[in-house]
Amino acid sequence: MGYLKDERPTTIGVEGGWNLGAYHYKGSRLLEEYVAGLKHKKLTGSFCPGCARVIVPPRNLCGRCHRKMDGRKTVSDRGTITCFVVSPPIYKGKLKVLGMDPVEIGLVKDGQVVIPVFVKFDGSDSNTDTVLLNADPKDVHIGMRVKVVWAKELQGSLADVEGVEPI
Amino acid sequence: MRRRVAIVGYAQSHHQHNMQKTREDMVFEVCKGALRHAGISREDLDTVITASTDFLDGRTISSVFVGMAAGAFLKDESKVEEDGTFALYYALMRVLAGTHDIALVEAHTQGSTMNAHQVSCFTLDPQFDRQIGVLNDIAAAALQARMYMNSHGVTDEHLAMVAVKNLSNAAANPWAHRKMAKVSVEEVLGSKVLCDPVRELMMSPVSDGACAVIIASEEKAREITSKPVWIEGVGSCQEAYIRDRDLGRLESLKTAARTAYKMAGIKEPAADLDVVELSEKFAHEELMAYESLGLCREGEGKRLIEKGTTGKEGKIPVNPSGGALGADPVCATGLVRVIEAAKQIRGEAEGCQVPKVRRALAHGQFGMCAQKNMVFVLGGNGS
Ligand SMILES: [Zn+2]
């Protein structure tokens, strides 16, 4: 039991955990299908026979039509940026993503910015989140045409899509 | 009530240990099922209320993930924490207010995704009980059972008899999880001691499951179905936290029942009710509930189970579906009781059907040792 040192005239701080430990999320098999496609440079979406929308990565249900999205469609690996943000420069030891330092693990160079984007791949109706690579932050704009940067060695995992780059 | 409101459709999942469906798929199927049962479509819904807890769902603001599955796309939507009966209460208020006519209520838990008994520890007071570290829901229930048994000469056998009744009733229920047609008092007493006197078969199983109920204003209900199940009375009550209450009584259930009875015009519950569906998370809670619901005098709960009064063929059948001991998809459990009660009234209770049901009681609860209780009295002449 520990007490915080901040001034607390009428309360005390009581240390406590709020950790469930293991949680086994029940995932959809659709994600397996999606990553299996990535290995062959294929972006798989689900197709709703009710409203003809295509969602990438695939999702099982269409809330709009309140039905299962039974169909599949392969969409292009080229698309359009629908929105973006440019991060402040990232320096070593300043940021943790999933418990890791992105500079230390070589994801970004020291002092570099990161540009998260939403991309509407040609043939899809959804926003897919990824990062914009090989681009000058000053050039990025909504409507910018991009294509997938595929990993050198395709594993059939989400990491196969490293990001997108300007066409 | 200034407006009459009826249950017009419902559906539940096959409650089970580890359902091979994602939460969203499970919710989608029961909501589709309830709409199909009512013979209406998603477009007819005015509001959608879901029930679960973020902790059990493993994500915060968890209704954003099930809303679409529940049919809430671009609709009025809200979420209630904990038991599905609380969500039904909320939906009822919306329809009574006249702002909505048709509401879908959905509740779910996938108990297999985490240790639900560990989650129960987070309901404990962090300043004291969690520091001491000796309590969880099972230990607290065992303390309560011991207290109640001590006051009224209730034995382990009495608790086992409740389990035998409910688990064998569950065997006839196609939706139940723990079905044991031939279970005996000896088998229950011989099951693993979790925390004396609570044995494994005296505690509800943690299930994966979901259910959905559709309610409508009188005008709409009569358009939708020839067998509306009217909500005649409702009562809700919460009592003090475990440390500050008489654990040997379910005082808040008593108050909730009294409120619901008054609204429904029930004077003698044992005579006026044809069937009762309880959310007994532990066997002893059912005996305590007999007394709180006024089915017998205080301390006489054991007599009802001894004489078979609450058996399927008894004078006042309790849990012909198997109750929570038969399946406990945590947040859905109370709303499943509402469905089971409505099924009895409509004559749709399959193997669990009790003859000539006009009036039924459904109970939901949440919190350690049944701290919060909700009672619905339903009526109709469908069957
Ligand atoms: Zn659709």
Side-chain angles (χ1 to χ4, degrees):
Chain A
M1 195 154 159
Y3 298 91
L4 299 183
K5 297 226 170 59
D6 310 338
E7 201 177 328
R8 288 169 179 260
T10 57
T11 64
I12 57 170
V14 180
E15 275 182 21
W18 189 242
N19 185 2
L20 252 189
Y23 196 101
H24 304 279
Y25 292 92
K26 288 190 187 180
S28 166
R29 293 249 165 209
L30 286 172
L31 196 66
E32 281 182 344
E33 243 180 82
Y34 179 69
V35 295
L38 296 182
K39 198 164 185 187
H40 308 284
K41 296 195 176 181
K42 205 170 88 174
L43 293 177
T44 308
S46 54
F47 171 77
C48 176
C51 60
R53 279 182 168 75
V54 176
I55 308 296
V56 180
R59 194 179 66 201
N60 199 13
L61 298 176
C62 177
R64 191 180 303 265
C65 305
H66 207 221
R67 60 167 296 160
K68 295 220 176 198
M69 299 182 80
D70 304 302
R72 299 284 179 274
K73 235 173 205 172
T74 302
V75 302
S76 169
D77 68 350
R78 292 170 174 243
T80 306
I81 288 181
T82 58
C83 55
F84 67 94
V85 285
V86 179
S87 80
I90 292 169
Y91 298 104
K92 195 175 169 188
K94 295 283 179 198
L95 180 73
K96 282 263 160 76
V97 181
L98 299 173
M100 290 174 288
D101 187 318
V103 179
E104 232 161 60
I105 62 169
L107 209 62
V108 287
K109 288 194 198 88
D110 201 40
Q112 206 186 346
V113 302
V114 176
I115 310 171
V117 293
F118 267 162
V119 177
K120 184 174 171 296
F121 288 108
D122 298 346
S124 85
D125 299 284
S126 60
N127 293 310
T128 307
D129 42 326
T130 181
V131 289
L132 181 65
L133 306 170
N134 310 325
D136 187 329
K138 287 197 290 295
D139 294 337
V140 56
H141 59 276
I142 290 173
M144 188 181 208
R145 294 289 294 160
V146 291
K147 65 174 198 289
V148 168
V149 178
W150 294 100
K152 285 205 181 64
E153 277 181 42
L154 298 167
Q155 315 264 349
S157 82
L158 288 177
D160 289 351
V161 174
E162 290 186 342
V164 292
E165 63 183 2
I167 296 174
Chain B
M1 280 187 240
R2 52 197 205 107
R3 221 178 172 208
R4 291 184 85 196
V5 179
I7 292 168
V8 298
Y10 41 77
Q12 63 183 306
S13 62
H14 288 283
H15 314 303
Q16 56 195 275
H17 165 58
N18 184 7
M19 192 185 293
Q20 287 308 297
K21 283 182 185 133
T22 64
R23 179 196 341 269
E24 287 71 26
D25 283 349
M26 177 181 80
V27 169
F28 174 74
E29 282 172 21
V30 294
C31 293
K32 270 292 205 205
L35 288 165
R36 207 178 307 120
H37 184 244
I40 62 173
S41 67
R42 194 189 82 81
E43 285 65 34
D44 297 313
L45 300 175
D46 297 316
T47 182
V48 174
I49 316 283
T50 60
S52 68
T53 83
D54 286 358
F55 236 124
L56 296 173
D57 271 349
R59 29 194 106 167
T60 54
I61 321 181
S62 59
S63 65
V64 302
F65 297 98
V66 297
M68 298 304 102
F73 178 75
L74 282 184
K75 283 189 185 291
D76 178 77
E77 176 271 345
S78 193
K79 180 195 165 188
V80 174
E81 275 287 308
E82 306 165 354
D83 192 69
T85 50
F86 306 156
L88 179 60
Y89 193 29
Y90 186 13
L92 172 68
M93 287 190 274
R94 290 192 157 194
V95 177
L96 285 176
T99 51
H100 304 85
D101 282 316
I102 304 179
L104 183 143
V105 184
E106 181 278 334
H108 64 268
T109 292
Q110 289 192 326
S112 67
T113 47
M114 47 39 238
N115 181 347
H117 296 292
Q118 188 194 347
V119 174
S120 79
C121 295
F122 293 113
T123 66
L124 289 167
D125 168 14
Q127 289 217 46
F128 184 75
D129 297 326
R130 275 203 242 165
Q131 310 283 338
I132 302 293
V134 296
L135 285 182
N136 68 358
D137 57 339
I138 304 173
L143 291 169
Q144 179 179 48
R146 191 50 77 203
M147 224 166 179
Y148 170 72
M149 291 163 79
N150 223 37
S151 311
H152 303 298
V154 175
T155 64
D156 290 5
E157 282 74 19
H158 287 117
L159 306 193
M161 286 161 81
V162 172
V164 166
K165 170 179 74 70
N166 292 355
L167 296 177
S168 57
N169 283 351
N173 179 356
W175 312 95
H177 170 180
R178 193 154 65 186
K179 304 163 181 239
M180 301 178 78
K182 296 205 163 72
V183 68
S184 65
V185 165
E186 293 68 37
E187 193 179 349
V188 173
L189 291 176
S191 65
K192 191 177 168 197
V193 178
L194 300 173
C195 195
D196 188 61
V198 174
R199 272 101 165 154
E200 193 175 359
L201 293 179
M202 295 175 181
M203 183 176 82
S204 65
V206 180
S207 316
D208 286 2
C211 68
V213 167
I214 297 170
I215 61 170
S217 61
E218 177 164 15
E219 193 190 333
K220 294 282 182 188
R222 293 200 191 280
E223 282 173 25
I224 293 170
T225 177
S226 58
K227 295 200 280 186
V229 173
W230 303 104
I231 298 176
E232 297 185 341
V234 58
S236 162
C237 187
Q238 173 174 191
E239 62 197 294
Y241 179 66
I242 42 171
R243 282 210 313 269
D244 317 333
R245 67 179 254 218
D246 177 357
L247 268 188
R249 285 196 169 76
L250 297 179
E251 204 57 32
S252 69
L253 177 56
K254 195 171 174 179
T255 306
R258 208 185 292 136
T259 309
Y261 291 161
K262 193 173 169 207
M263 205 182 280
I266 287 180
K267 302 236 159 51
E268 285 179 63
D272 297 345
L273 294 169
D274 301 312
V275 69
V276 170
E277 278 287 337
L278 289 178
S279 294
E280 81 302 355
K281 307 262 173 172
F282 296 88
H284 67 273
E285 288 178 357
E286 177 161 326
L287 298 179
M288 295 174 78
Y290 294 166
E291 299 166 24
S292 303
L293 294 177
L295 305 181
C296 62
R297 280 201 296 265
E298 193 174 312
E300 305 249 294
K302 62 180 182 184
R303 301 272 171 246
L304 300 192
I305 197 74
E306 278 170 4
K307 291 187 199 151
T309 314
T310 53
K312 212 192 281 183
E313 271 86 44
K315 205 168 137 270
I316 170 78
V318 175
N319 284 330
S321 70
L325 290 185
D328 187 8
V330 192
C331 296
T333 302
L335 199 60
V336 168
R337 307 277 74 74
V338 170
I339 292 176
E340 293 296 343
K343 279 163 68 180
Q344 290 285 352
I345 290 168
R346 286 173 56 129
E348 295 174 357
E350 302 154 281
C352 308
Q353 187 67 45
V354 167
K356 291 196 211 106
V357 175
R358 302 288 290 266
R359 237 171 186 175
L361 182 147
H363 161 245
Q365 62 141 307
F366 222 85
M368 291 237 175
C369 298
Q371 188 181 354
K372 301 162 84 170
N373 287 280
M374 175 73 76
V375 169
F376 278 91
V377 174
L378 307 178
N381 42 18
S383 56

